[in-house]
Amino acid sequence: MKSTVSLMLGTLFCIFLLQSAMAQNIAITGKVVDANNKLSLPGVSVKLKGGTTGTVTDGNGAFKINVPAPNAVLVFSYVGYQDQEIFTGANTVLNVNLVISNNELNDVVVVGYGTVKKSDLTGSVSQVKSKELNSFPATNPLQALSGRAAGVQVLQNGGSPGGSVSVRIRGTNSVQGSNEPLYVIDGFPISGTNPSTINNADIESMEVLKDASATAIYGSRGANGVVIITTKKGKAGKTAVNLESSYSTQSLRKKLELMNAQEFASFYNEQAANDKLPPYFTQQQIDNYSGNSYDWQDLVFTKAPIKTLSLNISGGNDKTQFSISGSFFGQDGIIKGSNYDRYSLRTNINHEISKLFSVNVSSVLTRINSATKNSTGGARGRTMISAAISAPPTLTPFNDNGTYRDLATAPGHAFVSSVLTSPIYYLNEETNETRSNRILTNAAINFKPIPELTIKILGGIDNADDRGDSYRTRNFLNSAGVANVGTSQNLSLLSENTISYNKTINELHSINALAGFTYQSFNRTTLNGSGTGFISDQSGTYDLGAATTPSTSTSGYVRSALLSYLARVNYSFDNRYLLTASMRADGSSRYSVGQKWGYFPSAAFAWRISNESFFKSVTFISDLKLRLGWGNTGSQAIEPYTTLNQLQSGRTVFNDALFTAYAPGAQLPGNLKWETTVQKDVGLDVGILNNRLSFTMDFYIKNTRDLLNTVKLPSSLGFTSTIQNVGEIQNKGFELGINGSIFNGAFKWDVNANIGINRNKVLKLYGGVDILGGEVAVGVINDNANILREGRPLGQFFGYLEDGYDATGKIKYKDTNADGVISSNDKTYIGDPNPDFIYGFNSTMNYKNFELTLFLQGTQGNDLFNVSGIGNTLDYSAGLNMIKDVYYNHWMPSNTNAKYPVPSRNTSVNISDRMVENGSYLRLRNIQLAYNIPVNKTKLTWIKSLQVYGSGQNLLTFTKYSWWDPEINSNGGANSTSQGFDNYGYPTYKALTFGFRAGF
């Protein structure tokens, strides 16, 4: 009996164990799709609520997960979609529809040395995502940033292929140092250069860190803001292939209306008469010019293509994710012979070795080939742009025998300037080519001894090798052949070692702490050689030894290093009160002994008012957060060795022989301190109607003290200048960003807009003495055109005020100091290049498979100094062609209120308010119509998505500026305070683009 009972009990126990085992191994399978278009969603996180079990969907959106019992709860989460919890019940197959989230507060934002949810931000950070950055072809990602982030001004230094841009975040801080932000690509800081090696299609997001609480973690390189660029990474699931390609046709946005041949001949005959000279042209010649005018703009400018191709392959599993891409960007310039070709290969690999260790590698290899033309600056036809608008329309490029025409010696044109060179020489007989290779690589190992703690050791290398070759052939006017070769190597090595701790206690207290130290070195070597006089053009720049007159070769070496210690703590209580505090200590080899270390603290507090119990009744406001921030950031602002007593090599005569010698340089070394920027920020984030409409507002004040600047010294000291900490600058302003989901049904309409207002003032200069800059040298004028003065905005235009004409048609100037004499003491403020505000507006409308995108961008209240217009409206002594308005609106006894003075070789001109124009503009930067082909309704199962589109760039520009384009900054650069000058710059193009984007 007992044995029977024992057998029965054993059987029941086995059945119980079997049932338990079966209950622990129930497999749930299914598929996750977009609730709107039913497309599969790869990489969706599927986790067991309250447990550690989890997986991700594959490339087809499918998943499989084992749950310990029926009636489990699975949590589905995916970036950009609302989290969804599903009670499995007795179901073993689940089909899940994820809904796109209108709440961006859960989006992850990249900040210095980490990430944070947008809802947890305490600082001022703007995020621009991949779709916006890749909306139109651009050689530089920063071109696509223009108008996308409040308070960020992107200045186009020129329209040439691969041309540089200048970026100002919340104004200009430094006179001596760089005003460019720090660029961080996948964790590697690359200060001092634009990130032009990155293909726009490879970028996942771009974060702009603006206030000190966000940038102080970068210490001495954070004063001008930080732009963090994160490239695309692989996701677990089926391998995905994305292919993009486009073709654009560029053309000159606007031609200048210049005099035709008849007008030109008549104008200079009138000038000759005014100067009591015989006429240059007979009436018969003038009559014969009818219909025989030559427009030199047509010779120089042309229609040109832009070609892009990008292929990205990504995928992986829960252990390893990868993303590999290759791309090509090719742009021919609208000036013949200029071009820019970029080839790049990018890889991102993440691998989990074990639960304790993981590694990630990011690498970008880039090759750039570019050719430029002599197009910026110059006067009276010394450069291509100047020549293209100055060459007489009465002449053509070629003589009757097919040779190039020398404009200065052409028969009947003795009044033409001797330096005016035909553009055909620049086009055909001069080359300027650059070849660049760049490697940017990061590798990191992560160690997690416990889930809350991560130790990261990162090493990186940024290496750039550049070679520039320029050659002027023997066929160039008055040339025996001129060759120049320059090479440079820039190497930066980075070591970052950080430890981070992330812990949530009792679901109330959240702590995220970071500490570490970094080391980065910078090495630059240069070598330059040249020669003149070649018996043949065959070898070009590849045989400098063949020059009959070799020039002196030069070489150089510069090295500096930066050692840093950093720490940051983020604390959150009940998701209501957020606190961030950071400290960075930077030691730079550039500074004096005792001044090498700078310390940069910051603190920020945020109060999520909308999470307070007393605010729950306000249902239409879904988010309300107040932010307060303060912090110090810095700028190194000087070149290496500036604080050292440098010796310079030279030649000297001793005992009738020539010897090499070293002597102190002309600049006296100084005991220098860091430039320090103290910034305060008050911000407010507001979300309305479940964040369908959101606002971000910031008010800030930045004061930069210990401003470094060059100070002149008496020559009796043996030094001509020194650098001292002598100045202070203030920037203060207001920013507003708006995002709205206007409609969210069958017809979807999203808009975002931003506006930035900044006021700049010079608070202090050395001894209160003005700094003059913006030198203008165009033949008829040689003077400074802007000024830095205490109490005034930075870089205001400075010159004379015109006061009509005298009895002979010459320009009169106002005697502003009433001393009876017109002198430099009468110069005053004649304009301001700093805009009243900058703005951008983006609209995206979707209906069924169609998408229409409209992007507007502009500035208001800024002035431009039109250097280009001086020579071609006022320089009557050089025989230059003029704009047509000069012919029809110049001073004559019958037209004393004319716009332009009397045509005479004796007409004198000073820098004046007539040269300053309104530079405000509103530009339709991009308009795109796209169609998403419904491939899911076809049998083409190997295609996941296919979009075709047509777009236009810069098709419409509303401006009062008279010259080619208002978006110009010819004197721009990293440390330029001479903004707003148009000095024969390469014009901006307009373009039509057609392309496709395909996913496989």
Side-chain angles (χ1 to χ4, degrees):
M1 181 68 180
K2 291 182 178 180
S3 60
T4 303
V5 173
S6 299
L7 179 61
M8 293 176 62
L9 290 173
T11 302
L12 291 173
F13 182 70
C14 291
I15 294 172
F16 174 76
L17 290 177
L18 180 61
Q19 288 178 334
S20 298
M22 293 176 63
Q24 292 175 357
N25 291 283
I26 292 178
I28 305 295
T29 61
K31 187 175 183 178
V32 183
V33 299
D34 183 298
N36 183 37
N37 55 31
K38 304 304 179 184
L39 293 177
S40 301
L41 294 177
V44 176
S45 172
V46 184
K47 290 186 176 180
L48 177 67
K49 187 175 183 179
T52 59
T53 305
T55 186
V56 293
T57 59
D58 63 17
N60 295 318
F63 70 92
K64 180 179 180 180
I65 186 172
N66 294 323
V67 297
N71 307 326
V73 177
L74 294 179
V75 180
F76 297 82
S77 58
Y78 193 58
V79 175
Y81 289 78
Q82 297 178 13
D83 290 355
Q84 188 172 157
E85 295 185 1
I86 296 181
F87 178 67
T88 63
N91 298 316
T92 58
V93 178
L94 298 176
N95 291 314
V96 182
N97 295 280
L98 288 188
V99 178
I100 294 177
S101 172
N102 290 320
N103 186 357
E104 294 186 351
L105 297 179
N106 291 323
D107 284 359
V108 174
V109 176
V110 180
V111 294
Y113 304 97
T115 60
V116 65
K117 283 186 177 180
K118 186 176 289 188
S119 60
D120 294 338
L121 278 174
T122 57
S124 180
V125 179
S126 293
Q127 183 185 58
V128 184
K129 296 184 178 179
S130 173
K131 184 177 180 180
E132 296 169 319
L133 293 170
N134 197 35
S135 59
F136 59 86
T139 59
N140 193 321
L142 300 178
Q143 293 171 320
L145 184 63
S146 178
R148 302 287 188 182
V152 180
Q153 185 181 17
V154 180
L155 302 167
Q156 188 77 35
N157 296 335
S160 61
S164 64
V165 299
S166 296
V167 178
R168 298 292 180 265
I169 298 176
R170 294 185 169 182
T172 300
N173 301 310
S174 181
V175 175
Q176 183 77 31
S178 171
N179 287 292
E180 290 291 308
L182 172 69
Y183 301 103
V184 181
I185 300 177
D186 287 337
F188 199 111
I190 58 166
S191 57
T193 181
N194 288 163
S196 57
T197 57
I198 300 294
N199 178 31
N200 286 22
D202 288 336
I203 298 176
E204 183 67 36
S205 69
M206 189 181 292
E207 274 80 9
V208 182
L209 281 54
K210 295 182 287 187
D211 75 330
S213 69
T215 63
I217 196 67
Y218 289 103
S220 65
R221 294 184 287 180
N224 303 319
V226 180
V227 178
I228 298 180
I229 299 173
T230 304
T231 61
K232 293 179 178 178
K233 295 176 173 57
K235 299 176 181 178
K238 188 176 179 180
T239 299
V241 179
N242 291 284
L243 178 65
E244 300 184 21
S245 184
S246 68
Y247 184 90
S248 306
T249 300
Q250 311 163 91
S251 59
L252 183 65
R253 192 189 69 82
K254 167 190 171 182
K255 285 182 65 175
L256 297 179
E257 290 191 63
L258 303 173
M259 293 181 187
N260 61 32
Q262 282 189 318
E263 294 163 342
F264 176 86
S266 300
F267 178 81
Y268 279 101
N269 271 2
E270 183 179 344
Q271 181 225 59
N274 292 334
D275 292 337
K276 305 296 190 295
L277 297 173
Y280 301 117
F281 301 93
T282 66
Q283 187 59 47
Q284 182 179 359
Q285 286 177 309
I286 295 176
D287 294 339
N288 290 338
Y289 283 136
S290 177
N292 292 314
S293 181
Y294 189 82
D295 190 341
W296 292 83
Q297 293 179 92
D298 293 337
L299 172 72
V300 171
F301 298 110
T302 184
K303 291 185 176 181
I306 299 177
K307 294 163 283 188
T308 70
L309 179 65
S310 176
L311 176 66
N312 179 263
I313 303 173
S314 63
N317 52 38
D318 57 344
K319 291 286 187 181
T320 304
Q321 302 87 44
F322 69 91
S323 175
I324 302 173
S325 68
S327 64
F328 167 74
F329 182 96
Q331 180 181 10
D332 290 347
I334 57 173
I335 291 182
K336 297 173 183 178
S338 58
N339 60 71
Y340 178 91
D341 293 334
R342 181 184 64 215
Y343 308 83
S344 62
L345 176 65
R346 181 190 58 85
T347 59
N348 267 324
I349 300 174
N350 298 317
H351 177 66
E352 182 181 309
I353 301 173
S354 67
K355 292 183 179 180
L356 297 180
F357 291 95
S358 64
V359 294
N360 47 63
V361 178
S362 173
S363 180
V364 180
L365 309 179
T366 306
R367 166 75 174 193
I368 296 175
N369 298 329
S370 64
T372 59
K373 286 297 177 181
N374 188 7
S375 55
T376 301
R380 296 179 172 175
R382 286 188 177 95
T383 57
M384 177 175 290
I385 295 289
S386 175
I389 57 179
S390 301
T394 52
L395 298 174
T396 59
F398 299 97
N399 296 310
D400 293 339
N401 61 1
T403 58
Y404 297 144
R405 189 185 303 278
D406 181 359
L407 303 183
T409 61
H413 290 73
F415 59 95
V416 171
S417 169
S418 61
V419 299
L420 178 59
T421 305
S422 172
I424 196 72
Y425 288 106
Y426 297 112
L427 287 175
N428 295 347
E429 306 302 333
E430 186 177 71
T431 58
N432 191 350
E433 299 176 342
T434 302
R435 293 177 295 280
S436 304
N437 298 304
R438 187 161 189 176
I439 301 174
L440 179 62
T441 300
N442 280 340
I445 183 167
N446 304 282
F447 173 51
K448 299 189 72 170
I450 58 176
E452 297 85 4
L453 190 68
T454 301
I455 300 172
K456 183 177 182 180
I457 300 174
L458 178 145
I461 180 172
D462 180 14
N463 186 76
D465 293 305
D466 299 332
R467 173 177 168 132
D469 292 71
S470 65
Y471 187 73
R472 177 172 286 184
T473 73
R474 300 167 73 250
N475 292 328
F476 198 97
L477 185 65
N478 300 322
S479 171
V482 181
N484 293 277
V485 178
T487 65
S488 65
Q489 295 79 38
N490 291 273
L491 174 65
S492 177
L493 299 176
L494 174 70
S495 172
E496 288 184 353
N497 308 272
T498 59
I499 181 170
S500 58
Y501 180 79
N502 196 341
K503 180 72 173 179
T504 299
I505 304 172
N506 297 329
E507 298 184 355
L508 286 176
H509 307 276
S510 177
I511 301 173
N512 186 300
L514 170 77
F517 68 93
T518 73
Y519 174 84
Q520 190 167 3
S521 64
F522 308 89
N523 297 270
R524 176 180 174 83
T525 59
T526 58
L527 177 64
N528 297 278
S530 61
T532 59
F534 293 86
I535 61 174
S536 171
D537 296 322
Q538 191 65 35
S539 60
T541 59
Y542 295 103
D543 189 4
L544 295 181
T548 57
T549 309
S551 298
T552 302
S553 298
T554 60
S555 61
Y557 172 79
V558 176
R559 186 179 188 276
S560 63
L562 186 69
L563 176 64
S564 309
Y565 298 93
L566 57 96
R568 179 180 60 208
V569 175
N570 292 322
Y571 171 73
S572 171
F573 174 73
D574 197 24
N575 203 23
R576 289 182 292 160
Y577 310 110
L578 309 170
L579 177 66
T580 300
S582 71
M583 167 62 80
R584 178 158 176 150
D586 278 344
S588 173
S589 64
R590 301 187 185 195
Y591 278 84
S592 309
V593 175
Q595 303 288 352
K596 290 186 179 295
W597 285 91
Y599 301 92
F600 307 98
S602 77
F605 171 76
W607 178 23
R608 294 201 69 189
I609 305 172
S610 55
N611 284 0
E612 295 286 358
S613 57
F614 65 79
F615 204 82
K616 298 299 182 184
S617 59
V618 187
T619 56
F620 72 96
I621 296 182
S622 48
D623 183 63
L624 180 61
K625 182 171 66 175
L626 175 67
R627 293 178 284 105
L628 303 173
W630 165 90
N632 289 0
T633 50
S635 172
Q636 298 185 49
I638 57 174
E639 293 299 316
Y641 316 137
T642 301
T643 59
L644 301 179
N645 194 355
Q646 301 180 57
L647 297 178
Q648 296 180 350
S649 62
R651 294 285 198 172
T652 187
V653 177
F654 185 72
N655 288 336
D656 296 328
L658 193 62
F659 291 88
T660 300
Y662 284 90
Q667 181 170 286
L668 176 68
N671 186 24
L672 305 178
K673 297 186 294 184
W674 297 83
E675 284 189 356
T676 301
T677 298
V678 181
Q679 184 173 182
K680 301 173 184 177
D681 186 281
V682 178
L684 188 67
D685 301 330
V686 183
I688 299 175
L689 301 176
N690 196 27
N691 295 319
R692 287 189 62 178
L693 186 63
S694 61
F695 302 86
T696 297
M697 292 165 277
D698 283 273
F699 174 77
Y700 62 88
I701 297 178
K702 293 196 304 179
N703 289 298
T704 302
R705 66 173 185 265
D706 296 325
L707 194 71
L708 290 159
N709 189 42
T710 301
V711 176
K712 292 184 178 180
L713 298 175
S715 57
S716 59
L717 291 178
F719 297 93
T720 59
S721 66
T722 187
I723 297 178
Q724 296 183 6
N725 294 99
V726 296
E728 295 181 17
I729 290 178
Q730 182 185 83
N731 287 275
K732 61 181 180 179
F734 173 76
E735 298 166 355
L736 173 64
I738 303 173
N739 289 281
S741 180
I742 310 301
F743 297 105
N744 200 19
F747 173 69
K748 185 179 179 182
W749 185 19
D750 295 326
V751 299
N752 57 72
N754 66 81
I755 185 172
I757 302 170
N758 185 77
R759 296 293 179 266
N760 180 285
K761 185 194 298 184
V762 178
L763 301 180
K764 180 183 177 183
L765 292 174
Y766 179 73
V769 177
D770 299 336
I771 298 176
L772 297 176
E775 184 177 355
V776 174
V778 289
V780 69
I781 288 178
N782 191 347
D783 199 358
N784 298 101
N786 76 358
I787 189 171
L788 276 68
R789 174 172 287 178
E790 289 184 355
R792 305 296 302 186
L794 189 72
Q796 274 193 303
F797 299 128
F798 197 66
Y800 298 90
L801 297 175
E802 293 194 7
D803 192 22
Y805 302 103
D806 62 16
T808 63
K810 305 292 179 60
I811 300 173
K812 293 194 304 180
Y813 298 96
K814 290 186 178 180
D815 183 10
T816 58
N817 64 355
D819 65 353
V821 178
I822 301 300
S823 68
S824 60
N825 295 325
D826 294 306
K827 296 177 73 173
T828 186
Y829 316 110
I830 57 176
D832 189 350
N834 302 290
D836 293 337
F837 59 88
I838 56 178
Y839 58 94
F841 174 82
N842 190 75
S843 167
T844 302
M845 290 176 279
N846 293 272
Y847 180 69
K848 294 186 177 180
N849 293 319
F850 289 94
E851 179 179 281
L852 177 64
T853 303
L854 186 73
F855 179 40
L856 301 169
Q857 178 265 330
T859 68
Q860 182 63 39
N862 60 296
D863 294 317
L864 287 174
F865 194 99
N866 188 357
V867 180
S868 309
I870 296 174
N872 300 97
T873 60
L874 298 170
D875 192 356
Y876 304 141
S877 63
L880 311 178
N881 197 8
M882 302 278 157
I883 62 173
K884 193 179 290 287
D885 193 36
V886 174
Y887 178 74
Y888 291 101
N889 196 6
H890 63 264
W891 190 94
M892 295 183 292
S894 60
N895 185 23
T896 58
N897 292 321
K899 184 176 180 180
Y900 301 98
V902 61
S904 170
R905 301 176 71 88
N906 299 317
T907 298
S908 61
V909 182
N910 290 317
I911 286 177
S912 68
D913 51 344
R914 80 155 57 230
M915 299 156 195
V916 178
E917 300 187 39
N918 186 349
S920 305
Y921 68 89
L922 169 62
R923 166 160 285 164
L924 178 59
R925 184 165 291 278
N926 189 51
I927 182 171
Q928 175 182 284
L929 178 62
Y931 179 70
N932 296 298
I933 298 174
V935 293
N936 58 326
K937 296 181 180 180
T938 70
K939 295 182 180 180
L940 302 176
T941 56
W942 50 276
I943 299 181
K944 185 172 66 173
S945 62
L946 179 59
Q947 182 188 76
V948 294
Y949 65 90
S951 64
Q953 292 77 50
N954 305 330
L955 297 184
L956 294 174
T957 300
F958 303 95
T959 183
K960 294 181 180 179
Y961 185 57
S962 65
W963 222 245
W964 271 310
D965 196 83
E967 194 178 5
I968 186 68
N969 190 40
S970 298
N971 295 357
N975 62 352
S976 172
T977 54
S978 296
Q979 296 184 16
F981 285 85
D982 182 357
N983 189 5
Y984 294 106
Y986 197 119
T988 299
Y989 63 86
K990 62 181 179 181
L992 294 174
T993 301
F994 297 93
F996 71 88
R997 303 180 179 101
F1000 305 94

